[in-house]
Amino acid sequence: MDKVGLLFVGAALFINGLMLLGKVDQKSAIVFNLFIGSIKVMTPFDLIFTSTGDSWMIFNASGIFLFGLTYLYVYVGISNLKNFNSSVVLG
């Protein structure tokens, strides 16, 4: 399942790159990033609930949370949907 998640992340990065080049509409990229972000936030919950208390499984799921929250907020998700200035977050 982790390979499918990486495929989704790669597709989101590709769509974001095309958006920055002006080849993809911004609203379409927002919808795609919100979809990928929500998948990447829901998946760790499932992994944590089925881990039976395994600390390493929970620790590994935290990285997936990081990707999910990044796509939901920083890149193209909520920050562009609400017209927030994400330059403060990115440096």
Side-chain angles (χ1 to χ4, degrees):
M1 187 63 185
D2 58 343
K3 306 295 188 263
V4 175
L6 288 176
L7 181 68
F8 282 141
V9 169
L13 289 173
F14 184 70
I15 294 294
N16 291 343
L18 289 177
M19 183 203 65
L20 291 174
L21 292 173
K23 305 291 183 187
V24 173
D25 182 43
Q26 184 178 8
K27 296 290 183 186
S28 300
I30 289 171
V31 171
F32 192 74
N33 278 276
L34 290 175
F35 173 70
I36 298 301
S38 61
I39 287 175
K40 289 293 199 177
V41 168
M42 289 185 290
T43 302
F45 280 119
D46 181 51
L47 291 173
I48 290 170
F49 291 139
T50 60
S51 69
T52 63
D54 183 13
S55 299
W56 283 110
M57 183 82 109
I58 296 170
F59 176 73
N60 289 333
S62 66
I64 301 172
F65 268 127
L66 179 65
F67 270 111
L69 294 175
T70 301
Y71 282 108
L72 281 177
Y73 181 73
V74 176
Y75 284 127
V76 190
I78 296 171
S79 63
N80 282 339
L81 187 64
K82 297 291 185 179
N83 292 325
F84 292 153
N85 182 8
S86 61
S87 63
V88 175
V89 176
L90 297 175

